[in-house]
Amino acid sequence: WKYLQDKEEQDVQQSMGAIGLSYAVLPGENTFFKTTLAATVSELNLDTKRMNSALTLLPQNAIHSSNWNFVLSSSLTTKFSAEHTNKTGITLTGLRYTMALDDAGTTQVLQSITNENGFSALLAGYTGSSVQLSKTLTMTAGISSQFFTLNSHATLEPRLAFRYQPTPGGATLGIGYGNHSRLERINYYFSTSPEFGSELVNKHLDFTKAHHLVVSYSQKISDDVSLKVEPYMQYIYNVPVIAD
């Protein structure tokens, strides 16, 4: 065999699914309220067998994992005037995972390497307004926040953008800035290490963060053709890495 995998047999089963409900209502002439409840799941079952020198297939490793997300999201959009519209919302996400990993290594018997499961929640909130400063200039400003219940880390993320259109139907110039953050995969936070026993060595990882700066130009060339150019810069920081 040219590669080690050439003498392996794998049985892989993958599945995923999603279900959701949404409810929307107009409590007032200038107010729109929407709530969404959703659940997603992804599962992986992978079993590997490898031939030994006698050409007999023996168990080599087995991975059985599942990830569940439960999401409740609500938002309220209010038009205060012809020049000012605001959207405010919250999202609560429940994160659950299980993972079992067995590996035979250089032996012929599967041994448990990882058998983990965990649950935590991510709470996010935001508010943003679009304000018509003049006939040619529109400003969008807002702020978002996230809170991870597992380690109590929180973020505060400002957003600001301007859109300038000197003539109706003419070219549009825009510039925008936003600070964004995200969690790593939930199983990373529940990882353990033989060196530290049952301690969750990654529990206190902070959010990975990024500054986004966008400049845009758009022009309607004809009824059927429009052009948009949008260069952007993304500066990613606070990234977790392996030491050295």
Side-chain angles (χ1 to χ4, degrees):
W1 299 280
K2 185 174 182 180
Y3 301 106
L4 186 64
Q5 291 81 1
D6 292 338
K7 58 178 181 178
E8 290 183 346
E9 176 184 90
Q10 286 191 329
D11 179 21
V12 184
Q13 295 180 342
Q14 293 178 280
S15 61
M16 60 184 300
I19 188 171
L21 296 171
S22 64
Y23 171 74
V25 64
L26 294 168
E29 183 178 348
N30 298 313
T31 307
F32 177 72
F33 177 77
K34 183 178 181 180
T35 293
T36 301
L37 180 65
T40 67
V41 59
S42 62
E43 294 186 334
L44 169 66
N45 294 298
L46 186 152
D47 294 283
T48 303
K49 295 180 180 180
R50 183 179 297 168
M51 283 185 177
N52 61 11
S53 57
L55 303 184
T56 302
L57 281 170
L58 298 174
Q60 182 60 36
N61 57 56
I63 300 175
H64 303 282
S65 67
S66 66
N67 285 273
W68 286 83
N69 287 345
F70 307 94
V71 184
L72 174 63
S73 178
S74 295
S75 65
L76 179 67
T77 303
T78 305
K79 187 175 182 180
F80 292 104
S81 66
E83 294 80 23
H84 180 201
T85 300
N86 175 271
K87 184 176 182 180
T88 300
I90 59 171
T91 300
L92 177 62
T93 305
L95 307 162
R96 177 170 181 78
Y97 95 101
T98 61
M99 172 175 281
L101 169 61
D102 299 328
D103 192 89
T106 57
T107 70
Q108 297 183 357
V109 179
L110 288 177
Q111 298 181 9
S112 178
I113 304 299
T114 299
N115 192 352
E116 302 175 0
N117 64 83
F119 179 86
S120 193
L122 178 68
L123 178 63
Y126 63 89
T127 183
S129 287
S130 177
V131 181
Q132 190 79 34
L133 299 177
S134 68
K135 291 183 178 180
T136 60
L137 185 63
T138 302
M139 177 184 73
T140 302
I143 193 164
S144 296
S145 180
Q146 297 190 87
F147 178 76
F148 188 33
T149 61
L150 179 66
N151 55 25
S152 298
H153 281 302
T155 67
L156 202 60
E157 307 164 14
R159 315 281 167 81
L160 182 64
F162 292 93
R163 180 175 177 268
Y164 176 65
Q165 189 174 29
T167 59
T172 300
L173 296 173
I175 185 170
Y177 164 79
N179 185 246
H180 299 263
S181 60
R182 73 167 195 188
L183 286 179
E184 299 303 320
R185 288 179 175 270
I186 185 66
N187 55 291
Y188 291 176
Y189 296 91
F190 289 94
S191 295
T192 58
S193 168
E195 184 180 354
F196 297 98
S198 60
E199 179 186 350
L200 302 182
V201 292
N202 292 330
K203 178 181 178 181
H204 297 288
L205 284 180
D206 203 352
F207 292 86
T208 297
K209 300 177 182 179
H211 296 293
H212 290 191
L213 181 64
V214 181
V215 179
S216 65
Y217 171 84
S218 59
Q219 171 71 61
K220 185 176 182 180
I221 299 174
S222 67
D223 291 340
D224 302 314
V225 180
S226 61
L227 171 69
K228 186 171 185 178
V229 181
E230 192 175 82
Y232 73 93
M233 185 273 291
Q234 182 185 50
Y235 177 77
I236 306 172
Y237 64 103
N238 207 52
V239 183
V241 296
I242 297 174
D244 303 319

